[in-house]
Each structure stands twice: as C-alpha cells, then as structure tokens.
Amino acid sequence: MADEPNGIKQGLTHYGDGGFSLFLRKAFIKAMGYSDRALDRPVIGITNTFSGYNACNRSVPDIIEAIKRGVMLAGGLPIEFPVISIHEAFSHPTSMFLRNLMAMDVEEAVRAQPMDAVVLIGGCDKTVPALLMGAACVDLPAILTVTGPMITGSHEGERLGACTDCRRFWSQHRAGVFDELEIGEIGNKLAPGPGTCMVMGTASTMALVSEAMGMMLPGGAAIPAVHADRLRHAEATGERAVILSSEKLRPSQIMTKNSLGNALRVLQAVGGSTNGVIHLAAIAGRLGFDLDLDELNKIGAETPVLVDLKPSGRYYMEDLFNAGGLTTVLREIDHLIEKECITVSGRTLGESMAMQSASWPNDVVRPIADPIHRGGGIRALHGNLAPKGAIIKQAAATPGLLKHTGRAVVFTSLQDMADRIDAPDLDVNAHDILVLQNAGPKGGPGMPEAGSMPIPRKLAAAGVKDMVRISDARMSGTAFGTIVLHVSPEAAVGGPLSLVRNGDLIRLDVEEGLLELLVDESELVRRRSEWTAPLHTHVGRGYAKLYFDEVLQAEDGCDLNFLRAKPRR
C-alpha cells in the first residue's frame, strides 16, 4: 500500500515509540556519513559474500562497487552488509552442512534490516542456492548476480581448468604418472585467477539454472570473472534493483513451478552438476513445491546434452560465454521451455531471449539434432537399494558400465575408505562395485563430495580408469565416472544402503532406471535387526544439533524441515 513505510523508515526496532526508533536509527546511520537526502532514497541492500577463505568470491568487492554505481545512477541508496560465505574446499565438515545456515543468515539479515530490494552476490557452489533459499523465504524484491567463472590455465601447452582437471591429474598422480614435484607445479596453474570453477561444476550449473529461472539479468551466468562485462552486468543489476523496489516484483512471482521446470530443462541441456538437483529441490521446498525425480527423468528423455564442456565434453565456461552464453542453449531448446515465465528483468523469458543478439555458428553449443549425449545428462534411479531415489550423471559415465552387475566392495565410512582403499591386500577387481556407506546428509555429515571414490591404487596403476561406485554422498559437478549418488534413504538413518555387505551382488541398469541389491529379503530383515545409528549423529548443542534434528534426505534438498514452506495448493 502507498502509506506503508519504505526505505530507512521500514522495519523499525521495537522501542515502544516509533518516532524515537526512527530518530535513533537516523542518528546512528549518519555516523556512516549519510545525508538526509541520501536517506530519503530507496534502500538497496547488497549481500557481501567476500571472504579471505573464498577465492571464488575474491572479486566481490569490485562487483559491489559496480552494483553501487548502478543503484545510484537509478536514484537508490546502496548499503552492503555481510552474510556467511562458503567455499567448497574450506568448509569443515562440508559446504553442504553449512548451506542451510547461510540460507538462514541471508533470510534473517534481509528481514531484519531496512531495504526495499536486495542484490544477491553468489559465487562458490553453495552460496547461490543459499542466497535464493533465503530470498524465497523473505520474498522481498531480489536480484542475483554471480562472480563468474575463472579463466583457464596452462601446463606445458595443455589448457587447464579447475576442477575437472584437478581430479584427472590427481588420479594420474595416484597411478604414478606424475611425481610430487610435477603435481605441485600443476596445482599452481589450475586456478589462475578469481572466480568459480571454469567447467560445468556446481557453481557454473547454478549460475545457468538461476538465469534460466529468471532470477538473474540475461547473459550474466557465463561472463568470466575478470571481464569488464562482468562489472557492466553488475552495474545493470544495481539499476534494475532500484526499479524492482518500486515494481514490487518478488521471488515468489519469478521462481514458480514452471520456471523451476525451465531450470531442470537447462540442467539437463548443459550437462549440469548432480548437485543442481539437490539445490533446486531445496529452493522448491522453500516455495512450497516438491521436486519430482520422475519429472527430472521425463525432462531428461526430451532434452539432450548440448553443451560441450568438461567434464562431459571438451570446452570451458569462457568458451560458452564466447558462444553466446545461456541464450544460445535456450534457442536450441526453444520448443521445450516455458517462455511465458516472468523474469527479474520484468520481461518474460521469451521476450528476453528475443532481445539478445542473434546466435552464431560455434562448436560449444551443439544443435539439438547432434547432441553430446542423448537422453539427458542426469538420470534418477529407483529400486530396493534406493526406495526414495538415487541419481547418476550418465553423460559423464562410461557407457559400457551403465548396465552392470557386480560384487560389492563395501566401505562403512569415509575413514574406512581412507584407511583401506589403497591397501595392497584389498579384495577388489575392476568388475566390482565400490560402495560407500554413511556419507549422506546425517552420515557425512553434510553429504561430502566423496561419491567419486578414488579407484583403488593397485587398479589405477594397472590402467583402470572407471568403476561403478555407489554411495549416499554427493560428488562435485567437476567430477566424472560411473557414479551413483544421493542414495535415499541414507545409510545413517537405516536405509537399505546400510545393509549392503562385501560380496553382495548389485545390479545397475541406467536405461531402465534400476538400482537393485540382489539379496534375499529374509537376509535383509536379519541385517536390519542388527543395525544401529552412527554415534556422531547424536549431538547435544548448537547448529549441529539443529542440523541433525531437522535435516531432510536428498530428494527434499537436504534442507531443514522447519524451513520448508507449507505446500501450495
């Protein structure tokens, strides 16, 4: 309503005297050097996700300055404020364990402080979903921008990119191809600058699906972190935030069932990270929807992988940017997307696509008639080993292993795997199936990216490059191999995965969507009677207690149950 307070006057601290509350607020904010004229403008909050522990977000201060410029050009007052910043490699026990805490921080910081709209700055993997989850709960006008992907490095003439090449070279180091000196030299070149992983990892995936959902201005997902275009996009984002504050266009109007469908469609078309499934499920839950794994498979069956990027292809994110970014992909699947979805630009997705430059010939985005992989990048599986589902990134798997029956070699925990995976006497061969238990939401805790288990050293040295691997863990979007993930219910809550023993036969049939433990039910009943929950899941205090009490399984995005919205009718 027109008489509702806005700007610095909204959300006053409760002192029992509104006039005094505003007087006190202005007195203290003027200590920052603001004038009354500045304080009369619409207030645009800007989340500062910079951290000395987060190289992906190293460029956030420059992005903030560009956003502030845009806000002021449009007549607003930009005010930055800190929120939790998460980096995958600097988060113990895992970044996923902390994603929900960051989402809570974003939600409460935006709700508690006066702002008419908020600009969300994402970067490393979990920051984008956490920002969107928090923004969805507050439902204040919000717009997302990201730090953008790193440029590539080089080693002896070979182009390098974190972190698909991190994993590839480390595997070769484990197999004895590279010694300590050379692997150290390679490590110096894998991440040559600020920004997120320059392959189709989780950060790239979430940037692209967020743009497809309509929460980012067109073209923003693929701009490299060091390009001037990244700052120009940030400036435009700041300008648009001021307009959003008057239009009152809210996240709940943008992130709808149809736009989430577009996000899943793009997830499949770009060969995106399996983590994207969990994050989109969590975002959907904050909006009152459930993400349907059967719908994921239906979309996958219609949507081939078109983007030739590592780990499913050859190229890097800067190549996708040079090919036209997400718009080039959307035009190839034009007949499959919901073009009437409104976006943060105020236009529909179809209108935004039409306003972009015409596409041009390139090798990065393949025509839909000649895809990288048919049948979608990600496939959901079901069966007695995964009653609530599991997923596999089939586009990055070995085709000959997608239908496979093998003997289980079981690791009961991350520590057990670390202790035994390279043991010379480990009873394992290339046809076996590696099984990791107790690495899920509670078991890890926080679903560590341990699903891409290393090939046992003695097999790697013999030239084995892939095996079927099954776990309740996640894996990085930069990883590759025939890896079944997110098995639900997880082992730590007594799911069937906890009942697998060494020597059991497991059948995987990706085409049929099956994951089956070939053990008599009577034997499984006996094993179930002996099962006990891991001791570490019983925590008495702090965020860890809240996490273990409330965390949901993979199919619900590993969100905290009390934070999910009531289902929409």
Side-chain angles (χ1 to χ4, degrees):
M1 295 176 63
D3 57 351
E4 287 184 350
N6 54 23
I8 209 74
K9 301 174 184 176
Q10 62 189 301
L12 292 172
T13 307
H14 290 173
Y15 290 117
D17 181 341
F20 175 70
S21 296
L22 181 58
F23 169 77
L24 198 62
R25 173 174 289 178
K26 281 192 170 184
F28 277 104
I29 197 69
K30 284 184 176 180
M32 303 294 288
Y34 293 117
S35 65
D36 285 319
R37 183 182 176 195
L39 295 174
D40 282 341
R41 296 183 175 202
V43 175
I44 308 301
I46 305 170
T47 61
N48 188 340
T49 54
F50 173 80
S51 166
Y53 290 103
N54 194 340
C56 299
N57 288 31
R58 192 183 101 187
S59 58
V60 164
D62 290 338
I63 290 172
I64 287 175
E65 290 307 308
I67 292 168
K68 286 182 174 179
R69 185 167 63 246
V71 170
M72 290 188 286
L73 285 171
L77 175 63
I79 300 181
E80 65 180 274
F81 61 97
V83 293
I84 291 172
S85 183
I86 303 171
H87 189 281
E88 178 61 41
F90 281 88
S91 299
H92 178 81
T94 73
S95 61
M96 192 67 169
F97 180 76
L98 297 170
R99 183 204 63 183
N100 298 333
L101 181 62
M102 181 180 175
M104 293 171 68
D105 183 23
V106 171
E107 175 182 351
E108 298 307 330
V110 172
R111 181 178 285 121
Q113 299 172 125
M115 61 190 79
D116 299 289
V118 61
V119 179
L120 313 167
I121 306 176
C124 196
D125 299 1
K126 312 305 173 291
T127 59
V128 169
L131 289 164
L132 293 179
M133 290 161 68
C137 293
V138 182
D139 211 24
L140 184 82
I143 185 169
L144 173 73
T145 190
V146 292
T147 58
M150 286 185 276
I151 56 172
T152 53
S154 178
H155 177 67
E156 296 183 352
E158 180 179 358
R159 197 177 182 196
L160 300 183
C163 209
T164 298
D165 293 330
C166 308
R167 299 173 191 282
R168 178 169 63 89
F169 281 111
W170 186 256
S171 295
Q172 291 176 317
H173 170 60
R174 283 174 48 80
V177 176
F178 299 116
D179 61 19
E180 292 292 336
L181 179 61
E182 187 163 10
I183 196 66
E185 291 176 357
I186 292 168
N188 290 336
K189 301 169 182 176
L190 283 162
T196 56
C197 289
M198 64 286 270
V199 296
M200 194 54 71
T202 306
S204 299
T205 298
M206 290 308 301
L208 288 163
V209 301
S210 298
E211 183 180 334
M213 265 196 299
M215 285 300 294
M216 189 189 309
L217 290 179
I223 305 169
V226 298
H227 278 216
D229 280 341
R230 173 55 62 197
L231 299 181
R232 283 188 280 270
H233 186 271
E235 180 183 298
T237 298
E239 287 192 77
R240 180 60 193 161
V242 178
I243 300 170
L244 282 174
S245 72
S246 61
E247 291 179 346
K248 307 298 184 188
L249 181 59
R250 300 177 183 275
S252 60
Q253 297 170 276
I254 296 168
M255 293 190 288
T256 64
K257 275 190 174 181
N258 284 344
S259 70
L260 281 165
N262 285 337
L264 287 174
R265 186 82 62 185
V266 165
L267 175 68
Q268 295 283 25
V270 301
S273 167
T274 50
N275 285 306
V277 179
I278 283 186
H279 295 319
L280 288 172
I283 293 167
R286 295 294 181 102
L287 295 162
F289 311 131
D290 287 324
L291 189 146
D292 186 347
L293 290 180
D294 290 333
E295 182 67 13
L296 175 69
N297 281 347
K298 178 178 178 292
I299 288 172
E302 300 168 342
T303 315
V305 178
L306 302 177
V307 180
D308 193 357
L309 253 68
K310 291 188 175 188
S312 302
R314 299 172 291 168
Y315 294 107
Y316 298 90
M317 282 296 289
E318 63 188 272
D319 302 310
L320 178 59
F321 170 69
N322 291 333
L326 179 65
T327 298
T328 307
V329 181
L330 292 175
R331 284 176 178 155
E332 286 296 326
I333 57 173
D334 177 88
H335 60 295
L336 296 172
I337 60 175
E338 296 285 346
K339 292 190 286 292
E340 295 306 310
C341 292
I342 196 70
T343 72
V344 77
S345 70
R347 296 181 289 271
T348 66
L349 183 60
E351 290 169 341
S352 292
M353 288 168 57
M355 294 181 66
Q356 303 306 301
S357 300
S359 299
W360 51 90
N362 68 88
D363 295 327
V364 182
V365 180
R366 300 276 282 273
I368 196 166
D370 182 27
I372 295 295
H373 178 86
R374 297 188 185 278
I378 298 172
R379 183 87 160 86
L381 309 171
H382 290 87
N384 71 341
L385 190 52
K388 295 289 188 179
I391 61 173
I392 184 170
K393 190 173 184 178
Q394 58 184 353
T398 300
L401 290 175
L402 292 176
K403 186 172 184 178
H404 183 79
T405 298
R407 184 185 64 146
V409 177
V410 180
F411 302 98
T412 58
S413 67
L414 293 163
Q415 189 60 53
D416 183 38
M417 181 178 71
D419 290 343
R420 296 194 298 119
I421 191 75
D422 289 335
D425 61 350
L426 180 68
D427 182 11
V428 65
N429 64 65
H431 299 289
D432 289 337
I433 295 176
L434 304 182
V435 176
L436 174 62
Q437 300 168 329
N438 297 306
K442 290 189 175 182
M447 288 187 86
E449 291 187 343
S452 51
M453 292 172 262
I455 302 298
R457 190 183 297 273
K458 65 182 180 181
L459 296 183
V464 176
K465 292 184 168 51
D466 195 13
M467 297 173 68
V468 176
R469 288 157 274 181
I470 299 173
S471 74
D472 46 14
R474 297 178 297 115
M475 76 173 183
S476 169
T478 67
F480 49 90
T482 311
I483 302 169
V484 177
L485 305 153
H486 309 181
V487 172
S488 180
E490 65 172 309
V493 299
L497 186 69
S498 69
L499 310 180
V500 182
R501 301 291 181 264
N502 285 320
D504 289 348
L505 290 181
I506 295 174
R507 180 162 75 100
L508 169 68
D509 190 329
V510 174
E511 184 177 354
E512 295 296 324
L514 292 176
L515 183 64
E516 295 185 323
L517 177 60
L518 304 180
V519 175
D520 288 343
E521 182 60 31
S522 59
E523 173 61 14
L524 296 179
V525 169
R526 185 192 68 78
R527 294 178 186 178
R528 191 172 285 111
S529 68
E530 299 173 349
W531 176 84
T532 56
L535 290 176
H536 76 264
T537 62
H538 303 285
V539 177
R541 64 172 301 280
Y543 173 68
K545 174 175 171 50
L546 181 65
Y547 176 88
F548 282 112
D549 286 351
E550 292 288 331
V551 72
L552 298 167
Q553 293 293 291
E555 67 273 14
D556 291 319
C558 301
D559 199 3
L560 304 183
N561 188 37
F562 74 98
L563 293 173
R564 284 167 60 88
K566 293 180 180 179
R568 292 188 185 180
R569 297 187 181 277

